Amino acid sequence: MAAGDRKYFSKQLVALLVGATLCSYFGSVPVSYGQANTSAQDIGKKIPEGAKLLLSANELVYNRDADLVSAVGGVQINYGGYKMVAQKVEYNQKTGRMMALGNVELVSPDGNRIYADNLDVTDNFADGFLNSLRIETSDNTRIVAESGQRVGGTMMILNKGVYTACLPCAEDPKRAPFWQVKAKRVIQNGVTHTIRLESARFELLGYPIAFLPFIEVPDNTVKRKSGFLFPTMSLSQNLGFGLSIPYYYVISPSMDATVTTTGYTAQGFLVEGEFRQRFENGTHILRVAGIDQAKPDNFSSGTSDAEAGQRAMVASKAEFRINPRWTFGWDVMVQSDNNFSKTYKLRDFTGTDRTNQIYLTGLGKRNYFDMRAFYFDVQDADRKNTAEKQQAIVYPSLDYHYVAPQPLAGGELSADVNLTNISRTHDDFYTVDGFDRFRGLKGQTSRLTAELQWKRTYVTPTGLVITPLLAARGDAFALNMDSPVNANGVPYAGNYLDDNSATRSMFTAGLELRYPILMTTENSTHILEPIAQIYARPDEQLAGRLPNEDAQSFVFDATSLFDRDKFSGYDRVEGGTRANVGIQYTGTFDSGYKLHGIFGQSYQIAGQNSFATDDLVNVGADSGLETDRSDYVGLGGVETPYGVSVAASYRLDEKDFEFRRGDLTTAYQNDTFQTQVTYTHLSAQPAYGFAEDNDEIQTSSKVKFKDYWSIFGGIAWDLNNDVLSRRTLGLSYEDECTIFTIAYTDTRDSDDESASDWTIGARLTFRTLGDIKIGTNTLE
């Protein structure tokens, strides 16, 4: 063969290879479900410039009389990451057609494989035919067709196509997959960028369950296209059966919207709309929803659900990057009554406590800035909306943290600033077991806090870790609130500061000693670390006399044992000289066992104990820190190589070791069974708002009783009231292409008469096709 002929033949083989790839792209049904984007123009670009074509064949024949170039016998072509094998490859210079014959297999760089008995295309790739076509993508989706035809360079037609994302049965490959879609014709239109499946039939376990005259979906070159999305179903006690049909509408390259109509058998039609817009530096989402309830009396009488007729919601969420360090945004929601979004389980708005906020944040290499304004929306069935009216409005709260870039005296210097400004229209007051608690007072209060901290760590030659610490803090308050008065008009009995302003300061000198001890044996490693801290401070100024808004949540346990200030917020500051002593242990065994634990105690050495000083919420009452010698706290856990694990957290009375607070969790897991049981105990703290002991057992289990099939369930048992507060039972199936789950949930909460005491949720997911859902709850 002449050199020029070889060059020409090589060029045609490249064309054939690209043409085969192009045909495989246009003939692939899975593209409509999000496969990788490829186009005729892109294929050539993906082949590296200067790539060499490698051709291997038993025989290379050039028939000058017939103008036919042939590679015969075990043909292998590698070019630019593409690989093709065939028994024979021919190019007819007269007709301009190229053919690959006999067990044709083409592998693209992304791992997709195309199989065909033969492939016949014109040299400009405008028209062509494929017989006995089979395509396997890199994500294990498959398309099979009797034949395929490319027409006019823009359209690909597959005859008798079958699509599935399920792997073939290893024992019987001829058996029908779990699900598949059959269509008389599959038409891919390169102009409209759509795929049309005509006479489509959906089969499950080989049995047809749905017939449609046609389905038209966008191909993978279209990221967004207007059309109906998969419907969603729901079933609940007071709403009845609901069917949601969403429609997705593309407005522009940067805007789209979704409109969803849900019909409830008990309450009528709910309409939802979501508008999304993308900007160069951020996004904005606007959501609206509304319903005119058909049967409000389905709900418990005297609730906001029962008394509401026309109900609606408007929400807006946005975030914008001002520059690489600064971000501005908001997330707000307004609704016609206090329980609409929760009752109808509107996505992202189902929580009892909803935080509306606007914020500005900045993040540098050694500093952080965050400023936010809050409004708290409480969703419950109280028609008077009492809980929400008692919430504070925060405008704004500011936090700033800074770490000096250079060491000071060999240590790290850091600064923290917090500014909080809040107001409240109603007193947040209640009485428990004869104790008055004022969680918030009507009026306005502002606080500015600034703190400097320096610390340095030394390690001695013997391994002792020494960390000295110095800190200075100052607070300034502006107070414009009503004096605390209980429901009977009796003034607060504590020593409350009834003034317009106040200041306080706190200086701390601390020292921490740690001595990690490493012990090893032939089959284990152990680290034992005694820890001792001491913090010398003056007494807390104005202890208990100021409002407490952000330090109300207080739990003393092993995780907070070594905190310098154990209060959860800025409104209270720990004073007096305190020592924290404990030991930490970690053990690892070659057999697979792992152990860990912490145990310790805290001591008020001198000065006034802040936790024994009552404030408006009695935050330190029965906390375990109100005495000079605290309760014992600890945690520990064991992990075994057999799937069994045990973890515990506890607080024991410092006098008689009585169990005050804690939990115990035991879990087991293997290939077919997993379970977890958690026991939680909270001793009564009447002055802190808990009048009775609280004991609860929560358990969940899952059993795999057959390949891909599992049953799961769980309960929450209130031991003190002997009530099952939550029950869940469900069935699930999961393989490589299908997920099916159905569950029943029964929730009882005497303090919240919501839309439903029970719900049924289900989800059916076909990989690459989408989801069919009943309900909106997480099922496992």
Side-chain angles (χ1 to χ4, degrees):
M1 182 186 301
D5 294 333
R6 291 193 186 96
K7 183 177 180 181
Y8 183 76
F9 179 62
S10 176
K11 182 178 180 180
Q12 301 309 320
L13 286 176
V14 173
L16 174 62
L17 187 62
V18 175
T21 305
L22 184 62
C23 289
S24 72
Y25 159 68
F26 281 113
S28 176
V29 169
V31 297
S32 63
Y33 308 108
Q35 303 300 319
N37 186 14
T38 311
S39 67
Q41 293 80 11
D42 292 336
I43 293 174
K45 296 178 183 178
K46 291 183 178 180
I47 299 177
E49 185 177 353
K52 295 182 179 180
L53 182 142
L54 302 177
L55 169 66
S56 173
N58 295 338
E59 187 177 3
L60 190 62
V61 179
Y62 180 43
N63 188 332
R64 291 183 179 273
D65 297 332
D67 284 337
L68 189 67
V69 183
S70 304
V72 183
V75 181
Q76 299 182 26
I77 302 174
N78 292 353
Y79 183 67
Y82 292 87
K83 301 176 182 180
M84 187 176 76
V85 297
Q87 294 179 358
K88 185 177 182 180
V89 175
E90 293 182 347
Y91 174 69
N92 192 315
Q93 293 175 285
K94 290 182 178 180
T95 62
R97 302 192 71 89
M98 295 173 288
M99 293 190 65
L101 306 169
N103 298 325
V104 180
E105 179 180 351
L106 176 67
V107 181
S108 60
D110 58 8
N112 292 342
R113 294 177 177 269
I114 299 94
Y115 303 89
D117 285 350
N118 58 71
L119 182 151
D120 180 2
V121 295
T122 58
D123 57 5
N124 64 355
F125 316 128
D127 302 284
F129 300 92
L130 299 92
N131 289 324
S132 300
L133 176 67
R134 177 164 58 95
I135 301 170
E136 297 179 1
T137 66
S138 57
D139 65 349
N140 289 325
T141 56
R142 289 165 169 75
I143 177 71
V144 178
E146 286 189 359
S147 61
Q149 179 181 0
R150 179 161 166 74
V151 180
T154 61
M155 187 174 294
M156 187 69 187
I157 302 174
L158 297 180
N159 300 311
K160 295 184 178 180
V162 179
Y163 167 71
T164 184
C166 300
L167 295 174
C169 177
E171 299 177 357
D172 183 9
K174 295 183 179 180
R175 190 171 71 184
F178 189 84
W179 65 265
Q180 60 186 1
V181 180
K182 292 183 177 181
K184 186 176 181 180
R185 290 206 312 172
V186 180
I187 303 173
Q188 200 279 350
N189 192 315
V191 176
T192 61
H193 297 286
T194 58
I195 294 181
R196 182 183 178 94
L197 292 85
E198 297 182 345
S199 301
R201 181 177 68 189
F202 186 87
E203 293 185 356
L204 194 65
L205 295 173
Y207 296 96
I209 62 172
F211 297 86
L212 291 171
F214 71 91
I215 304 174
E216 187 168 278
V217 295
D219 67 19
N220 67 317
T221 64
V222 179
K223 295 182 179 180
R224 300 153 59 236
K225 187 174 181 64
S226 301
F228 287 98
L229 306 178
F230 274 90
T232 300
M233 291 168 282
S234 62
L235 182 63
S236 59
Q237 181 177 358
N238 296 328
L239 304 180
F241 175 77
L243 176 63
S244 301
I245 301 177
Y247 182 83
Y248 176 71
Y249 179 64
V250 177
I251 302 173
S252 73
S254 61
M255 291 187 291
D256 56 28
T258 303
V259 178
T260 304
T261 301
T262 304
Y264 289 103
T265 56
Q267 297 299 342
F269 288 95
L270 172 72
V271 179
E272 299 176 71
E274 181 173 325
F275 170 78
R276 296 167 291 268
Q277 185 171 10
R278 186 177 66 249
F279 302 90
E280 290 185 1
N281 64 337
T283 59
H284 174 239
I285 300 174
L286 176 67
R287 291 184 60 185
V288 296
I291 189 174
D292 187 356
Q293 293 190 144
K295 298 179 180 179
D297 54 356
N298 271 23
F299 301 100
S300 301
S301 61
T303 65
S304 56
D305 294 306
E307 297 187 358
Q310 297 178 343
R311 314 179 74 177
M313 178 275 294
V314 178
S316 176
K317 182 177 182 180
E319 183 170 281
F320 299 94
R321 295 296 298 270
I322 301 173
N323 57 41
R325 292 188 176 185
W326 289 91
T327 302
F328 170 71
W330 65 83
D331 185 358
V332 296
M333 184 266 283
V334 178
Q335 55 186 350
S336 57
D337 62 85
N338 59 316
N339 210 36
F340 169 53
S341 298
K342 182 179 179 181
T343 297
Y344 284 88
K345 296 181 174 61
L346 302 183
R347 179 173 50 87
D348 299 330
F349 301 105
T350 59
T352 299
D353 300 316
R354 162 74 188 172
T355 302
N356 298 282
Q357 59 180 316
I358 181 171
Y359 58 89
L360 174 67
T361 62
L363 180 63
K365 293 183 179 180
R366 305 183 70 86
N367 56 357
Y368 172 75
F369 175 90
D370 182 272
M371 183 171 64
R372 296 171 184 264
F374 296 96
Y375 177 81
F376 299 99
D377 191 347
V378 179
Q379 297 196 95
D380 57 27
D382 177 14
R383 60 186 179 84
K384 296 181 180 180
N385 205 11
T386 304
E388 182 172 324
K389 293 177 181 178
Q390 293 175 337
Q391 298 301 309
I393 302 173
V394 183
Y395 46 85
S397 174
L398 182 151
D399 283 287
Y400 178 73
H401 177 71
Y402 173 79
V403 178
Q406 300 297 328
L408 176 64
E412 180 186 83
L413 179 66
S414 62
D416 287 280
V417 177
N418 175 266
L419 171 66
T420 299
N421 184 17
I422 66 172
S423 70
R424 184 178 274 103
T425 60
H426 291 69
D427 287 334
D428 187 0
F429 158 80
Y430 67 99
T431 300
V432 176
D433 207 25
F435 293 92
D436 294 337
R437 300 189 78 241
F438 299 87
R439 292 187 297 192
L441 300 178
K442 180 180 178 181
Q444 184 173 356
T445 180
S446 302
R447 176 186 41 76
L448 175 63
T449 298
E451 183 175 49
L452 285 174
Q453 177 181 278
W454 174 89
K455 66 178 180 180
R456 181 178 181 181
T457 298
Y458 301 87
V459 180
T460 68
T462 60
L464 178 65
V465 181
I466 304 173
T467 304
L469 176 146
L470 296 173
R473 167 177 164 172
D475 300 274
F477 292 83
L479 306 172
N480 184 21
M481 296 175 297
D482 294 349
S483 299
V485 179
N486 67 16
N488 298 320
V490 179
Y492 171 58
N495 186 18
Y496 175 71
L497 178 66
D498 192 2
D499 206 343
N500 293 327
S501 63
T503 59
R504 69 182 178 190
S505 61
M506 179 62 66
F507 300 92
T508 303
L511 182 66
E512 179 184 84
L513 303 177
R514 292 174 178 257
Y515 190 67
I517 303 171
L518 175 64
M519 299 173 288
T520 60
T521 67
E522 292 183 356
N523 57 8
S524 64
T525 301
H526 308 267
I527 299 176
L528 195 65
E529 186 178 29
I531 304 172
Q533 298 174 328
I534 185 169
Y535 296 110
R537 297 168 289 218
D539 293 344
E540 178 186 5
Q541 297 177 358
L542 302 174
R545 303 183 64 192
L546 296 169
N548 180 1
E549 293 280 355
D550 70 351
Q552 298 182 9
S553 176
F554 180 72
V555 175
F556 174 53
D557 57 20
T559 62
S560 60
L561 172 62
F562 298 109
D563 289 348
R564 173 166 63 90
D565 190 336
K566 296 178 176 58
F567 283 113
S568 58
Y570 288 98
D571 284 342
R572 292 294 304 269
V573 55
E574 187 175 342
T577 300
R578 177 172 290 275
N580 304 312
V581 179
I583 190 167
Q584 187 170 275
Y585 166 77
T586 302
T588 304
F589 297 83
D590 293 345
S591 59
Y593 284 88
K594 296 181 180 179
L595 307 175
H596 71 275
I598 298 176
F599 182 80
Q601 196 175 27
S602 184
Y603 302 89
Q604 186 74 25
I605 297 176
Q608 184 183 30
N609 187 346
S610 295
F611 303 101
T613 305
D614 295 338
D615 62 12
L616 291 173
V617 293
N618 297 322
V619 67
D622 299 314
S623 64
L625 284 167
E626 73 277 8
T627 54
D628 290 343
R629 190 163 63 100
S630 78
D631 287 349
Y632 298 98
V633 292
L635 60 81
V638 180
E639 298 179 24
T640 74
Y642 309 108
V644 178
S645 62
V646 179
S649 175
Y650 52 88
R651 176 165 67 87
L652 308 177
D653 187 88
E654 49 96 8
K655 294 181 180 179
D656 56 12
F657 288 92
E658 183 179 351
F659 187 34
R660 293 297 187 185
R661 185 186 185 103
D663 56 70
L664 173 66
T665 299
T666 304
Y668 173 75
Q669 181 175 353
N670 60 20
D671 293 338
T672 59
F673 176 67
Q674 63 183 51
T675 185
Q676 178 174 297
V677 179
T678 300
Y679 166 72
T680 303
H681 169 76
L682 303 176
S683 292
Q685 295 176 258
Y688 188 49
F690 298 102
E692 300 176 350
D693 289 353
N694 189 342
D695 295 271
E696 185 178 74
I697 293 178
Q698 296 187 26
T699 178
S700 61
S701 300
K702 184 176 182 179
V703 181
K704 184 178 181 181
F705 61 89
K706 194 176 181 181
D707 288 345
Y708 312 123
W709 287 97
S710 301
I711 186 171
F712 61 90
I715 62 170
W717 182 15
D718 183 348
L719 298 177
N720 303 95
N721 298 312
D722 196 18
V723 172
L724 292 177
S725 56
R726 179 179 56 83
R727 293 177 292 183
T728 301
L729 181 64
L731 178 71
S732 68
Y733 172 91
E734 182 174 356
D735 62 18
E736 80 283 350
C737 64
T738 310
I739 299 175
F740 168 71
T741 306
I742 184 170
Y744 168 85
T745 301
D746 182 359
T747 302
R748 298 188 180 276
D749 185 352
S750 58
D751 296 328
D752 182 15
E753 293 290 344
S754 62
S756 304
D757 290 330
W758 60 262
T759 58
I760 295 176
R763 182 183 67 178
L764 180 59
T765 301
F766 300 110
R767 187 171 68 86
T768 74
L769 288 181
D771 291 342
I772 299 176
K773 296 181 181 179
I774 297 178
T776 57
N777 294 333
T778 301
L779 300 172
E780 291 186 72

